[in-house]
Amino acid sequence: MLEELNRVLWGPLGVGLLGAAGLWLTVRTGWFQLRQARLWLGQTLGALLAGSPELDRQSGDNISPLQSLCTALGATIGAGSVLGVGAAIASGGPGAVFWMWVMALFGMMTAYAEHLLGLAYRRRQGGMWQGGPMYYLSEGLGARPGCKALGRALAGLFAGLCVLASLGMGNLSQVNAMAAALQGAFGTPPPLTGAVVALATGVLLWRGLKGVAAAAGRLVPLMAAFYLAGALLVVGLHAARLPAALEAIVRGAFGLRAAGGGLVGYGVWTAVRWGFARGCFSSEAGLGSSAIASGSASTPEPVQQGMWGMFQVFVSTFVVCTLTALAILTAGLVDLDTGQVAFSAPVEQLAGAAFASAFGPLGPVFLGVTVALFAWSSILGWSQYGAACWTYLLGPDSLWIYKLVFLALTAAGACADFTLALALADAVNGLMMLPNLAGLFALSGEVARRTRRYLEEKRIAP
């Protein structure tokens, strides 16, 4: 049943909606991600490199922009950025990587709109600023003539699906990937992994968003630097294969004839489907989830917060996922002429084999530690997404119920089947994006107007 649902959601319908939303927002904002690349990179990467004090600004009812970014990145750069890339290559061939890039290019504008609207329509709930699709659907779309009931219905639908997503994609699939990685690296029994992760998560979960954001602000930069250094080393050691790997990505994306005369072993549609599905899974652009973290940020201007959404997609896909893919392709684990995976072990071990080619027996250890950190940060971020949506639906008084369910599934999810967990995550993702994309299409004019006004105020040519 899950496979049939995923074929619908990630067939022409889901892929078409994601691509159309990103393209529509790109056109309406004048190709902002390309024409204003210097602006948004300066406001994000430039601010990080310069150590801008604005990044750490927070108040009693806000978290800092840096904490918001790290919470969103922590939720985004989960197991999908490592194990999911291997699954994309195994299922769609090297060409799936190209379509992950295409998804990210337009997904940057989808994320931009989500973060912009998430800050613009935020509301106070439980003593904290709360934002996200449930608010811009109910307050933004719902303010249109004749759309009040529709906006509220879509907001409630999104919130309900987000709660389920936090338990599926943000919990079960992540702890399951963590358990598999730690078992392969250290022989750690999955039940022990589940129990320890549930306990550690519970300590922070009961402290609320501020506790999770503070932990993410410390954890995410360290884990990203750790992983990127290792991935760069793998690619560097196999640098001679890098041109062939890049060529295979382009060939596979369009089903072109391989250099040796054979045909790439995957169809164009298969590469597109898996590239978009895994691209959405890794960046979350189109789901609307990361806009929940942006709604609690102390950033004063919605357009500036939108730029952080773009940066999030840029880091998760163009940096982390790309390096993961190149590590796998240059390590000799894929036949670059046919696109077939020359690896007999389970898909989730593909990235580990790439690191083993550089680190030897320490490769699985490196990957185990990395996946554990990535997955835990994703669990922490998604716990807050689910909590915010639960609060929207049922109020803060019953939030303890959600927390107990979340922690119980964290402990149990370590023993679930990897394939089932990933299929469940894909299904919930696909369902969750539908109400969010409806809101983005409806509010695209407002996104364009706010963008133009910001550029005019800054005296920047559109």
Side-chain angles (χ1 to χ4, degrees), residues 50 75 95 137 161 183 189 208 309 401 408 412 460:
L137 284 169
L161 290 170
Q183 185 177 35
I401 299 175
I460 299 172

Side-chain angles (χ1 to χ4, degrees), residues 156-197:
L157 177 61
F158 173 87
L161 290 170
C162 185
V163 170
L164 293 177
S166 73
L167 301 175
M169 185 184 81
N171 191 341
L172 289 176
S173 64
Q174 300 297 334
V175 73
N176 182 261
M178 180 192 297
L182 291 179
Q183 185 177 35
F186 305 106
T188 307
L192 177 59
T193 297
V196 172
V197 173

